[in-house]
Amino acid sequence: MSTLGSIIAGLGGIVHTLLNVYIWVVIIAALLTWVRPDPTNPIVQVLYRLTEPAYALLRRYVPTVFNGIDLAPLIIIIGLQVIDVIFVRLVYALAGAL
C-alpha cells in the first residue's frame, strides 16, 4: 500500500469512528427519552442538538411514529450502519488499489 493509500485508509477509519460515535449519540438520546430528563441539563441539550436535525430530515420524508412509538432513531441507526459498511469497503478498496 502506498503512502496515498495509507492516508485514504486513515481518513476512512476516522469517518468510520465518527459514524460509530454518532450512532451511540442517537442510542443514548433515544434511551434518555424513556426517563424524561431535565431539558435544561447541558448534556441533554447537546444530545438534542446533535440528533434533532437528523430526526427532522427523516421525518420530512418518512412517517416515523407507529402506534405512539417513534422509530426515527432505529431508522437512522440502520441507515448509518449501511452507509458505514458501504463507505468503509469502498475506501479500503480504493486504498488497496493505490
Side-chain angles (χ1 to χ4, degrees), residues 5-86:
S6 298
I7 292 171
I8 291 174
L11 291 174
I14 291 170
V15 172
H16 172 69
T17 302
L18 290 174
L19 285 172
N20 281 329
V21 167
Y22 192 71
I23 287 170
W24 279 105
V25 166
V26 170
I27 291 170
I28 293 167
L31 291 175
L32 278 178
T33 61
W34 292 354
V35 295
R36 301 211 184 246
D38 180 19
T40 60
N41 186 327
I43 295 172
V44 173
Q45 290 179 356
V46 167
L47 290 172
Y48 179 78
R49 288 181 185 148
L50 288 174
T51 57
E52 195 54 38
Y55 293 163
L57 179 66
L58 180 65
R59 288 179 185 137
R60 185 181 317 155
Y61 299 108
V62 179
T64 60
V65 178
F66 297 101
N67 294 329
I69 299 174
D70 187 16
L71 298 178
L74 181 65
I75 296 169
I76 288 177
I77 289 169
I78 291 171
L80 287 174
Q81 286 288 342
V82 168
I83 290 169
D84 186 39
V85 168
I86 292 171

